[in-house]
Amino acid sequence: QVQLQQSGPELVKPGASVRISCKASGYTFTSYYIHWVKQRPGQGLEWIGWIYPGNVNTKYNEKFKGKATLTADKSSSTAYMQLSSLTSEDSAVYFCAREGGNYLDYWGQGTTLTVSS
Amino acid sequence: ENVLTQSPAIMSASPGEKVTMTCRASSSVSSSYLHWYQQKSGASPKLWIYSTSNLASGVPARFSGSGSGTSYSLTISSVEAEDAATYYCQQYSGYPLTFGAGTKLELK
């Protein structure tokens, strides 16, 4: 069965960077796009971008260019998102999700990021 | 950016009641690229309805979706307690991919 297992909660200081992982299983990792989505507490969903692990092409929401960097490791079927120059505005739950055919059919459990000194 | 506006923001329904929530786009969306997700508190979103009217695996038949162009809707024919959740519409007709702000369905 398709599963996306994300890394655990992170507490980081302002100005630092963090990398969140999303390990895929149950399907061919290189054949599906992986998207990343942000959800601030009590708020809606915001699209960050996607990566296609087959050729590591990426597409970003303009809003997150310079903030998020998406990578993928085919050998471990893991997608990564690095967030840099963190501020309190980056405190949120971050989800990875697989694109099944222009919709997001499987989601990770979410990673909670807290930015605080 | 294609802004999706969902209404109402919050709705309350009694078990057995029929409910409809709407999603309006600032620019036309192809019906193939308009989708709905269900999210319960503390959980990940789940694909609920894809391409306007197709129920995702495991979604009860009391749910349905319709619409075209800039106006879409999700209907529950007879609400059950387990339907309490927030429902988000999402478009993939252009970049950036966008979500509506959600409709929170509460059960009376």
Side-chain angles (χ1 to χ4, degrees):
Chain A
Q1 71 284 21
V2 174
Q3 289 190 340
L4 298 174
Q5 183 65 39
Q6 296 185 229
S7 49
E10 298 275 2
L11 171 60
V12 296
K13 293 185 176 354
S17 297
V18 69
R19 190 175 76 161
I20 297 170
S21 66
C22 171
K23 183 172 176 58
S25 61
Y27 72 98
T28 302
F29 179 63
T30 51
S31 298
Y32 292 82
Y33 293 81
I34 291 285
H35 293 243
W36 290 87
V37 175
K38 177 182 181 180
Q39 187 170 40
R40 297 207 69 197
Q43 302 299 309
L45 304 165
E46 193 170 19
W47 179 71
I48 296 170
W50 56 246
I51 184 167
Y52 187 69
N55 58 16
V56 293
N57 276 358
T58 55
K59 178 77 172 178
Y60 293 92
N61 184 337
E62 287 290 327
K63 179 178 178 179
F64 289 92
K65 284 186 176 178
K67 170 61 65 178
T69 303
L70 305 182
T71 58
D73 177 6
K74 297 177 192 178
S75 67
S76 63
S77 298
T78 303
Y80 298 93
M81 177 175 67
Q82 178 160 322
L83 298 169
S84 60
S85 303
L86 293 168
T87 73
S88 60
E89 296 295 303
D90 298 314
S91 293
V93 177
Y94 292 87
F95 296 101
C96 62
R98 189 187 84 160
E99 180 184 326
N102 82 64
Y103 44 82
L104 305 179
D105 58 354
Y106 290 92
W107 293 64
Q109 81 276 23
T111 295
T112 300
L113 171 64
T114 303
V115 182
S116 174
S117 55
Chain B
E1 175 173 324
N2 199 340
V3 177
L4 302 182
T5 302
Q6 291 189 242
S7 60
I10 303 174
M11 63 190 314
S12 183
S14 300
E17 191 176 336
K18 179 180 179 180
V19 300
T20 296
M21 58 190 73
T22 65
C23 174
R24 288 192 166 79
S26 60
S27 302
S28 184
V29 177
S30 167
S31 59
S32 298
Y33 297 95
L34 191 288
H35 317 297
W36 295 86
Y37 300 84
Q38 180 198 68
Q39 186 179 33
K40 295 192 175 182
S41 181
S44 309
K46 292 182 179 179
L47 178 66
W48 213 244
I49 297 175
Y50 64 94
S51 301
T52 296
S53 59
N54 298 283
L55 302 186
S57 178
V59 174
R62 62 181 177 273
F63 285 84
S64 64
S66 65
S68 65
T70 60
S71 184
Y72 292 85
S73 63
L74 180 158
T75 297
I76 309 172
S77 60
S78 179
V79 169
E80 296 192 8
E82 66 178 11
D83 301 335
T86 300
Y87 294 86
Y88 294 95
C89 59
Q90 175 247 316
Q91 68 81 24
Y92 202 169
S93 201
Y95 287 109
L97 183 157
T98 51
F99 293 86
T103 291
K104 184 176 183 178
L105 173 61
E106 298 176 337
L107 272 286
K108 292 178 183 175

